[in-house]
Amino acid sequence: MGIVIKQSIQNTITTYLGFVIGAVNTLFLYTQFLTPEYYGLVGYLLSTANVMMPFFMFGVNNTLVKFYSSYKTKNQQNSFLTLMLFLPLVAIVPIGFIGVLGYESISNWLASENAIIKNYTYLIYVIAVAMAYFEVFFAWSKIHFKSAFGNIMKEIFHRVCILFLLLALYYKVLTIDQFIIAIAIVYVVRMVIMKLYAFSIRFPKLDFKFNFEVSSVLKYSFLIIIAGSVAMLMLDLDKFMLGKLIVIENIAYYNVAVFVAIVIAVPARAMHQITYPLTAKYLNEKDKVSLEDLYKKSSLNLIIVSGLIFVLIVVNINQLYALLKPEYRQALYVVLIIAVVKLTDSLLGINNSIIFNSDYYRIILFFGVLIIVVAVILNYILIPIYNINGAATATFLAMILYGSLKLWYVNKKFKIHPFSINTLYSLMLIFILSVSFYFWEFSFHPIINIVVKSAIVTSIYGIVVYRFKLSEDISTILNKLLKASK
């Protein structure tokens, strides 16, 4: 776990820095500088682009990681990388052509509930293409175990740019139209920078001979298009359907709530940048012992780290919303329910990586399509009745089903699971602290209240984890920190 722990820590720090900047944007600047209608519009454009992105990527980001380590000769690698560069165009070009021919009809359909969407529909395509090729170039660097720079670009770059754009909007340097267009330009620039970095690691030598099993690669890419992005699609699908079914202002409230909750997923996102290619390596080498060890350690470490974040969010959520405009408080339930979803994701460790990189990857297409269908049906039923709470409930039910299916399938095929007795102890600790401190509020200013309560909860949590050695890896890190502080 040495390289995993080292790069995971680097990526976690980078990701949290990005989330701090994102918090300033999402919780304060967007809510103060934009009306809920325009904030909802920005959220809708980005979310709809995210829904399209997996189709534009054509599964290349996952395909790169799965197959690259299995090719040992330079010729095979060059030929494989050439295919990966051009494969997304199979989807991007025809969809773009259809978009141009049917632009009026498509924009009218998307704007059926909210007319404000119509004039900006074309930006969805631009952003989706930029996001897709960014992920391709990020995967290009990850297969060489170089994820730090890509993580900076993924988590920090666009948020810093948007922060300056929001300030430019506030000081009337930009109009609202220019601001929205500038956001799309930021994603294009991010893609170009990531491309230059990826090519600096290994410049592509185009080889169209394709001297490898192209059919296997194409089959995997096609099957993984939806399956590889279900978790990401779910929350953005919610926002897309909110924009179709109810007034767009609700997306602004949902955006804030989801942003708070997905902070829990940061450690998992950081760790998966390095565990994903490692999982592929162990599977290609048929090293089941190392795979099971990575599975259990990733789950335990993630549930402990993510569990602390979960507790801090739950016990401070009322005070956090006291800092925002009153209308945003209606999404309090959304925060709590999505937080549970993200904590459950962390509990599964490298479950996704095992399925995607194994010979059983086909099943994930069935699971993925099933969950998307279930989510769409639940959203159509619940959103008109319960508004944004309905969208959150739909995601919760669909994702719990999805996680359960994947957990069962990996155990069935590999006879391994990620749990241990320390997993149970960790969950008990999370539950006890969440319930104990949720209703306890100081009579201080909300910010002081958050700081004091967080310090108390973190101290108790850290002492219990360290004292009872719930994780060997985390105890080792804490010992090093304690020695360094002496």
Side-chain angles (χ1 to χ4, degrees), residues 26 30-31 34-44 252 255-256 328:
T26 303
Y30 269 124
T31 56
L34 269 69
T35 63
E37 183 183 32
Y38 274 104
Y39 187 8
L41 172 63
V42 171
Y44 181 82
N255 250 352
V256 171
Y328 284 87

Side-chain angles (χ1 to χ4, degrees), residues 44-55 124 127-128 131 187 229 232-233 236 239:
Y44 181 82
L45 295 176
L46 295 178
S47 294
T48 307
N50 262 320
V51 170
M52 294 178 66
M53 179 180 69
F55 300 95
I124 296 172
I127 296 170
M131 286 178 168
Y187 281 93
S229 304
M232 177 183 64
L233 275 171
D236 289 307
K239 296 173 194 173

Side-chain angles (χ1 to χ4, degrees), residues 253-270:
Y253 312 140
Y254 196 80
N255 250 352
V256 171
V258 168
F259 180 85
V260 173
I262 62 173
V263 174
I264 295 168
V266 173
R269 288 169 64 171

Side-chain angles (χ1 to χ4, degrees), residues 129-380:
V129 171
M131 286 178 168
Y133 261 109
F134 172 85
E135 292 296 337
V136 171
F137 297 130
F138 190 14
W140 187 291
S141 64
K142 281 192 286 187
I143 58 176
H144 296 93
F145 299 100
K146 303 253 185 210
S147 62
F149 179 80
N151 211 52
I152 291 172
M153 297 303 299
K154 185 180 180 70
E155 305 294 351
I156 295 178
F157 177 81
H158 67 290
R159 291 184 171 123
V160 171
C161 291
I162 289 172
L163 185 150
F164 283 109
L165 291 178
L166 283 164
L167 292 174
L169 177 67
Y170 177 74
Y171 287 107
K172 295 182 171 42
V173 176
L174 295 176
T175 65
I176 186 64
D177 289 335
Q178 292 169 336
F179 169 78
I180 293 172
I181 294 170
I183 289 178
I185 294 172
V186 165
Y187 281 93
V188 173
V189 171
R190 185 182 71 153
M191 175 202 69
V192 172
I193 294 174
M194 192 68 231
K195 170 188 174 181
L196 295 174
Y197 176 75
F199 286 178
S200 73
I201 296 173
R202 176 162 183 169
F203 195 81
K205 183 178 180 181
L206 299 183
D207 183 351
F208 294 96
K209 294 178 181 177
F210 300 148
N211 52 350
F212 57 91
E213 293 184 14
V214 177
S215 60
S216 298
V217 172
L218 292 178
K219 185 188 299 182
Y220 179 83
S221 294
F222 179 75
L223 290 175
I224 213 70
I225 288 173
I226 296 177
S229 304
V230 169
M232 177 183 64
L233 275 171
M234 292 301 295
L235 294 175
D236 289 307
L237 179 67
D238 284 354
K239 296 173 194 173
F240 170 74
M241 295 190 70
L242 284 168
K244 280 292 298 170
L245 297 174
I246 56 178
V247 293
I248 203 166
E249 287 91 335
N250 287 279
I251 299 178
Y253 312 140
Y254 196 80
N255 250 352
V256 171
V258 168
F259 180 85
V260 173
I262 62 173
V263 174
I264 295 168
V266 173
R269 288 169 64 171
M271 180 176 283
H272 290 336
Q273 307 297 355
I274 187 64
T275 56
Y276 198 88
L278 270 179
T279 303
K281 180 175 181 289
Y282 293 150
L283 284 166
N284 287 333
E285 295 172 354
K286 303 188 185 306
D287 187 352
K288 185 178 177 181
V289 174
S290 296
L291 181 68
E292 183 174 8
D293 181 61
L294 185 63
Y295 194 19
K296 288 185 179 294
K297 285 186 175 181
S298 65
S299 173
L300 182 58
N301 290 335
L302 284 177
I303 198 62
I304 290 174
V305 177
S306 299
L308 173 59
I309 303 165
F310 176 87
V311 175
L312 292 175
I313 288 174
V314 170
V315 302
N316 289 308
I317 191 60
N318 289 304
Q319 294 301 312
L320 176 61
Y321 269 99
L323 297 170
L324 303 179
K325 293 179 178 179
E327 58 265 32
Y328 284 87
R329 189 174 181 83
Q330 63 186 277
L332 182 63
Y333 170 83
V334 176
V335 177
L336 298 177
I337 202 73
I338 299 300
V340 173
V341 170
K342 291 304 175 183
L343 186 66
T344 304
D345 284 346
S346 295
L347 187 62
L348 297 180
I350 60 167
N351 184 283
N352 272 349
S353 301
I354 293 174
I355 298 178
F356 293 160
N357 291 300
S358 73
D359 294 332
Y360 307 109
Y361 64 85
R362 295 170 186 82
I363 192 64
I364 209 68
L365 176 65
F366 171 72
F367 289 165
V369 172
L370 172 66
I371 296 308
I372 293 295
V373 171
V374 168
V376 169
I377 293 172
L378 288 173
N379 272 301
Y380 264 114

Side-chain angles (χ1 to χ4, degrees), residues 19-32:
F19 265 76
V20 168
I21 300 167
V24 173
N25 293 345
T26 303
L27 302 181
F28 303 108
L29 300 188
Y30 269 124
T31 56
Q32 295 297 324

